[in-house]
Coordinates of all heavy atoms in Angstrom, one line a residue:
D70 N 3.6 27.2 -8.6 CA 3.2 25.7 -8.4 C 1.8 25.6 -8.3 O 1.1 26.3 -7.6 CB 3.9 25.4 -7.0 CG 5.3 25.1 -7.2 OD1 5.9 25.1 -8.3 OD2 6.0 25.0 -6.1
N71 N 1.3 24.6 -9.2 CA -0.1 24.2 -9.1 C -0.3 22.8 -9.4 O 0.6 22.2 -10.0 CB -1.0 25.2 -9.8 CG -0.7 25.1 -11.3 OD1 -1.3 24.3 -12.0 ND2 0.1 26.0 -11.7
V72 N -1.5 22.3 -8.9 CA -1.7 20.9 -9.0 C -3.0 20.7 -9.8 O -4.1 21.4 -9.5 CB -1.9 20.2 -7.7 CG1 -2.4 18.7 -7.8 CG2 -0.6 20.3 -7.0
S73 N -3.2 19.7 -10.7 CA -4.5 19.4 -11.1 C -4.8 17.9 -11.1 O -4.0 17.1 -11.5 CB -4.7 19.9 -12.6 OG -4.6 18.8 -13.6
L74 N -5.8 17.6 -10.2 CA -6.2 16.3 -10.1 C -7.6 16.2 -9.7 O -8.0 16.8 -8.9 CB -5.4 15.7 -8.8 CG -5.7 14.4 -8.3 CD1 -5.7 13.3 -9.4 CD2 -5.0 14.0 -7.0
K75 N -8.3 15.4 -10.6 CA -9.8 15.2 -10.4 C -9.9 14.5 -9.1 O -9.3 13.6 -8.7 CB -10.3 14.5 -11.5 CG -10.6 15.4 -12.8 CD -11.6 14.6 -13.8 CE -11.3 15.2 -15.2 NZ -11.3 14.3 -16.1
G76 N -11.1 15.0 -8.4 CA -11.6 14.2 -7.2 C -10.8 14.4 -5.9 O -10.9 13.7 -5.1
V77 N -9.9 15.5 -5.9 CA -9.3 15.7 -4.6 C -9.8 17.0 -4.1 O -10.2 18.0 -4.8 CB -7.8 15.8 -4.7 CG1 -7.2 14.6 -5.2 CG2 -7.3 17.0 -5.4
N78 N -9.9 17.0 -2.6 CA -10.3 18.3 -2.0 C -9.2 19.3 -1.7 O -8.1 18.9 -2.0 CB -11.2 17.9 -0.7 CG -10.2 17.1 0.3 OD1 -8.9 17.4 0.3 ND2 -10.8 16.3 1.0
A79 N -9.5 20.5 -1.2 CA -8.6 21.5 -1.0 C -7.4 21.0 -0.1 O -6.2 21.2 -0.4 CB -9.1 22.7 -0.5
S80 N -7.7 20.3 1.0 CA -6.6 19.9 1.9 C -5.7 18.9 1.3 O -4.5 18.9 1.5 CB -7.1 19.5 3.3 OG -7.6 18.2 3.2
D81 N -6.3 18.0 0.5 CA -5.4 17.1 -0.3 C -4.5 17.9 -1.3 O -3.3 17.5 -1.3 CB -6.2 16.1 -1.1 CG -6.9 15.0 -0.4 OD1 -6.3 14.8 0.7 OD2 -7.9 14.4 -0.6
S82 N -5.1 18.8 -2.0 CA -4.1 19.6 -3.0 C -3.1 20.3 -2.3 O -2.0 20.5 -2.7 CB -4.9 20.2 -4.1 OG -5.8 21.0 -3.5
K83 N -3.3 20.7 -1.0 CA -2.5 21.5 -0.2 C -1.2 20.5 0.0 O 0.0 20.9 0.0 CB -3.0 21.9 1.1 CG -2.9 23.4 1.4 CD -3.5 23.7 2.7 CE -3.4 25.0 3.1 NZ -4.1 25.4 4.4
R84 N -1.6 19.3 0.4 CA -0.5 18.4 0.7 C 0.3 18.0 -0.5 O 1.5 17.9 -0.4 CB -1.1 17.0 1.4 CG -1.1 17.1 2.8 CD -1.5 15.8 3.5 NE -2.9 15.4 3.3 CZ -3.8 15.8 4.2 NH1 -3.5 16.4 5.2 NH2 -5.1 15.5 4.0
V85 N -0.4 17.9 -1.7 CA 0.3 17.5 -2.9 C 1.4 18.7 -3.2 O 2.4 18.5 -3.6 CB -0.6 17.3 -4.0 CG1 0.1 17.0 -5.3 CG2 -1.5 16.1 -3.7
L86 N 0.8 20.0 -3.0 CA 1.6 21.2 -3.3 C 2.8 21.2 -2.4 O 4.0 21.4 -2.7 CB 0.9 22.4 -3.1 CG 0.1 22.9 -4.3 CD1 -0.7 24.1 -3.8 CD2 1.0 23.3 -5.4
S87 N 2.8 20.8 -1.0 CA 3.9 20.7 -0.1 C 4.8 19.6 -0.6 O 6.0 19.8 -0.6 CB 3.5 20.2 1.3 OG 2.4 21.1 1.8
A88 N 4.4 18.5 -1.1 CA 5.2 17.4 -1.6 C 5.9 17.9 -2.9 O 7.1 17.6 -3.0 CB 4.4 16.2 -1.9
L89 N 5.2 18.7 -3.8 CA 5.8 19.2 -4.9 C 7.0 20.1 -4.6 O 8.1 20.1 -5.2 CB 4.8 19.9 -5.8 CG 5.3 20.5 -7.1 CD1 5.9 19.4 -8.0 CD2 4.1 21.2 -7.9
L90 N 6.8 21.0 -3.6 CA 7.9 21.9 -3.1 C 9.1 21.1 -2.6 O 10.2 21.5 -2.9 CB 7.4 22.8 -2.1 CG 8.3 24.0 -1.5 CD1 8.7 24.8 -2.7 CD2 7.6 24.7 -0.3
I91 N 8.9 20.1 -1.9 CA 10.0 19.3 -1.3 C 10.7 18.6 -2.5 O 12.0 18.6 -2.6 CB 9.5 18.1 -0.3 CG1 8.9 18.9 0.9 CG2 10.7 17.2 0.1 CD1 8.1 17.8 1.9
A92 N 10.0 18.2 -3.4 CA 10.6 17.5 -4.7 C 11.4 18.5 -5.4 O 12.6 18.2 -5.9 CB 9.5 16.9 -5.5
R93 N 10.9 19.6 -5.6 CA 11.7 20.9 -6.2 C 13.0 21.0 -5.5 O 14.0 21.2 -6.1 CB 10.9 22.1 -6.3 CG 10.0 22.1 -7.6 CD 9.2 23.4 -7.6 NE 10.0 24.5 -7.5 CZ 9.7 25.6 -6.8 NH1 8.4 25.8 -6.4 NH2 10.6 26.6 -6.7
Q94 N 13.0 21.1 -4.2 CA 14.1 21.4 -3.4 C 15.1 20.2 -3.5 O 16.3 20.4 -3.6 CB 13.7 21.7 -1.8 CG 13.2 22.9 -1.6 CD 12.3 23.0 -0.3 OE1 12.1 22.0 0.3 NE2 11.9 24.3 0.0
Q95 N 14.6 19.0 -3.5 CA 15.4 17.8 -3.6 C 16.3 17.9 -4.9 O 17.4 17.4 -5.0 CB 14.6 16.5 -3.6 CG 14.1 16.2 -2.3 CD 13.2 14.9 -2.4 OE1 12.5 14.6 -3.5 NE2 13.1 14.1 -1.3
H96 N 15.7 18.3 -6.0 CA 16.3 18.3 -7.2 C 16.8 19.6 -7.8 O 17.0 19.8 -9.0 CB 15.4 17.6 -8.3 CG 14.9 16.2 -7.9 ND1 13.9 16.0 -7.2 CD2 15.6 15.1 -8.1 CE1 13.8 14.6 -7.0 NE2 14.9 14.1 -7.4
N97 N 16.9 20.6 -6.8 CA 17.4 21.9 -7.1 C 16.7 22.6 -8.3 O 17.2 23.1 -9.2 CB 18.8 22.0 -7.4 CG 19.7 21.6 -6.2 OD1 19.3 22.1 -5.1 ND2 20.7 20.8 -6.4
I98 N 15.3 22.5 -8.3 CA 14.5 23.2 -9.3 C 14.0 24.5 -8.8 O 13.2 24.5 -7.9 CB 13.4 22.2 -9.9 CG1 14.0 20.9 -10.5 CG2 12.4 22.9 -10.9 CD1 13.0 19.8 -10.7
H99 N 14.5 25.6 -9.4 CA 14.2 26.8 -8.9 C 13.0 27.5 -9.5 O 12.5 28.5 -9.0 CB 15.4 27.7 -9.0 CG 16.5 27.1 -8.1 ND1 16.6 27.1 -6.8 CD2 17.7 26.6 -8.6 CE1 17.6 26.4 -6.4 NE2 18.3 26.1 -7.4
Y100 N 12.4 27.0 -10.7 CA 11.3 27.4 -11.2 C 10.0 26.7 -10.8 O 10.1 25.7 -10.2 CB 11.3 27.5 -12.8 CG 11.8 26.1 -13.3 CD1 11.0 25.0 -13.4 CD2 13.2 25.8 -13.6 CE1 11.4 23.7 -13.9 CE2 13.6 24.5 -14.0 CZ 12.8 23.6 -14.2 OH 13.2 22.3 -14.6
H101 N 8.8 27.3 -11.0 CA 7.6 26.7 -10.5 C 7.1 25.6 -11.5 O 7.5 25.6 -12.6 CB 6.6 27.7 -10.4 CG 6.8 28.7 -9.3 ND1 6.8 28.4 -8.0 CD2 7.2 30.0 -9.3 CE1 7.1 29.4 -7.2 NE2 7.4 30.5 -7.9
L102 N 6.2 24.7 -10.9 CA 5.9 23.6 -11.8 C 4.3 23.4 -11.7 O 3.7 23.7 -10.6 CB 6.5 22.4 -11.3 CG 8.0 22.1 -11.6 CD1 8.5 21.0 -10.8 CD2 8.3 21.9 -13.0
R103 N 3.7 23.0 -12.8 CA 2.3 22.6 -12.8 C 2.4 21.2 -12.8 O 3.1 20.5 -13.7 CB 1.7 23.1 -14.0 CG 0.3 22.7 -14.1 CD -0.4 23.0 -15.4 NE -1.7 22.6 -15.4 CZ -2.2 21.3 -15.7 NH1 -1.2 20.4 -16.0 NH2 -3.4 20.8 -15.6
L104 N 1.7 20.5 -11.9 CA 1.7 19.1 -11.7 C 0.4 18.5 -12.2 O -0.8 18.8 -11.5 CB 2.1 18.6 -10.2 CG 1.9 17.2 -9.9 CD1 2.6 16.2 -10.7 CD2 2.1 17.0 -8.5
G105 N 0.3 17.8 -13.2 CA -1.0 17.2 -13.6 C -0.9 15.6 -13.3 O 0.1 15.0 -13.3
I106 N -2.0 15.2 -12.6 CA -1.9 13.8 -11.9 C -3.1 13.1 -12.6 O -4.4 13.6 -12.6 CB -2.2 13.8 -10.4 CG1 -1.0 14.6 -9.8 CG2 -2.1 12.3 -9.9 CD1 -1.3 14.9 -8.3
Y107 N -2.9 11.9 -13.2 CA -3.8 11.1 -13.8 C -3.8 9.7 -13.1 O -2.9 9.0 -13.4 CB -3.6 10.9 -15.3 CG -3.3 12.3 -16.0 CD1 -1.9 12.8 -16.1 CD2 -4.4 13.1 -16.4 CE1 -1.8 14.0 -16.6 CE2 -4.2 14.4 -16.9 CZ -2.8 14.9 -16.9 OH -2.6 16.1 -17.4
S108 N -4.8 9.7 -12.2 CA -4.7 8.3 -11.3 C -5.5 7.3 -11.8 O -6.8 7.3 -11.7 CB -4.9 8.7 -9.9 OG -4.6 7.6 -9.1
G109 N -5.0 6.2 -12.1 CA -5.7 5.0 -12.4 C -5.9 4.2 -11.1 O -6.5 3.1 -11.0
I110 N -5.2 4.7 -10.0 CA -5.3 4.1 -8.7 C -6.3 4.8 -7.9 O -6.2 6.0 -7.7 CB -4.0 4.2 -8.0 CG1 -2.8 3.6 -8.8 CG2 -3.9 3.4 -6.6 CD1 -1.3 3.9 -8.2
P111 N -7.4 4.1 -7.4 CA -8.3 4.8 -6.6 C -7.7 5.4 -5.3 O -6.7 4.7 -4.8 CB -9.4 3.7 -6.2 CG -8.9 2.4 -6.7 CD -7.8 2.6 -7.6
L112 N -8.1 6.7 -5.0 CA -7.4 7.3 -3.8 C -7.9 6.9 -2.5 O -9.1 6.5 -2.4 CB -7.6 8.8 -4.0 CG -7.3 9.4 -5.4 CD1 -7.7 10.9 -5.5 CD2 -5.9 9.2 -5.8
K113 N -7.0 6.9 -1.5 CA -7.4 6.6 -0.1 C -8.1 5.3 0.1 O -9.0 5.3 0.8 CB -8.1 7.7 0.5 CG -7.4 9.0 0.6 CD -8.1 10.1 1.3 CE -7.3 11.3 1.4 NZ -8.1 12.5 1.9
C114 N -7.6 4.2 -0.6 CA -8.4 2.9 -0.4 C -7.2 1.8 -0.1 O -7.6 0.7 -0.2 CB -9.2 2.7 -1.4 SG -8.5 2.2 -2.9
G115 N -6.0 2.2 0.2 CA -5.0 1.2 0.6 C -4.4 0.7 -0.6 O -3.5 -0.2 -0.5
L116 N -4.4 1.3 -1.8 CA -3.7 0.7 -2.9 C -2.5 1.5 -3.2 O -1.8 1.4 -4.3 CB -4.6 0.7 -4.1 CG -5.8 -0.4 -4.0 CD1 -6.6 -0.4 -5.3 CD2 -5.3 -1.8 -3.6
G117 N -2.0 2.5 -2.3 CA -0.8 3.0 -2.4 C -0.7 4.4 -3.4 O 0.3 4.5 -4.1
S118 N -1.9 5.1 -3.5 CA -1.8 6.2 -4.4 C -0.9 7.2 -4.0 O -0.2 7.8 -4.9 CB -3.2 6.7 -4.6 OG -3.8 7.1 -3.3
S119 N -0.7 7.5 -2.7 CA 0.1 8.6 -2.3 C 1.8 8.2 -2.6 O 2.5 9.0 -3.0 CB 0.0 9.0 -0.9 OG 0.3 8.0 0.0
A120 N 2.0 6.8 -2.4 CA 3.3 6.4 -2.7 C 3.7 6.4 -4.1 O 4.7 6.8 -4.6 CB 3.4 4.9 -2.1
A121 N 2.6 6.0 -4.9 CA 2.8 6.0 -6.3 C 2.9 7.5 -6.8 O 3.8 7.8 -7.8 CB 1.6 5.4 -7.1
L122 N 2.1 8.4 -6.2 CA 2.5 9.8 -6.6 C 3.9 10.3 -6.2 O 4.6 10.9 -7.1 CB 1.4 10.6 -5.9 CG 1.5 12.1 -6.0 CD1 1.3 12.6 -7.5 CD2 0.6 13.0 -5.2
S123 N 4.3 9.9 -5.0 CA 5.6 10.2 -4.6 C 6.6 9.8 -5.5 O 7.7 10.4 -5.9 CB 5.8 9.8 -3.2 OG 4.9 10.3 -2.3
V124 N 6.5 8.4 -5.9 CA 7.6 7.8 -6.9 C 7.4 8.5 -8.2 O 8.5 8.6 -8.8 CB 7.3 6.3 -6.8 CG1 8.1 5.6 -8.0 CG2 7.6 5.6 -5.5
A125 N 6.2 8.6 -8.7 CA 6.1 9.1 -10.1 C 6.8 10.6 -10.2 O 7.5 10.9 -11.1 CB 4.6 9.2 -10.5
V126 N 6.5 11.4 -9.2 CA 7.0 12.7 -9.3 C 8.7 12.6 -9.1 O 9.3 13.3 -9.9 CB 6.5 13.6 -8.2 CG1 7.3 14.9 -7.9 CG2 5.1 14.0 -8.4

Side-chain angles (χ1 to χ4, degrees):
D70 283 349
N71 65 84
V72 173
S73 101
L74 168 60
K75 275 193 202 137
V77 300
N78 59 32
S80 77
D81 283 335
S82 50
K83 234 178 170 175
R84 271 193 280 271
V85 178
L86 275 175
S87 308
L89 181 60
L90 182 62
I91 295 171
R93 277 182 43 215
Q94 286 163 351
Q95 283 174 336
H96 299 96
N97 291 318
I98 295 171
H99 301 294
Y100 46 84
H101 293 287
L102 289 169
R103 179 190 177 281
L104 168 61
I106 305 171
Y107 311 92
S108 186
I110 308 174
L112 309 177
K113 292 191 181 167
C114 73
L116 295 182
S118 56
S119 64
L122 174 63
S123 305
V124 169
V126 167

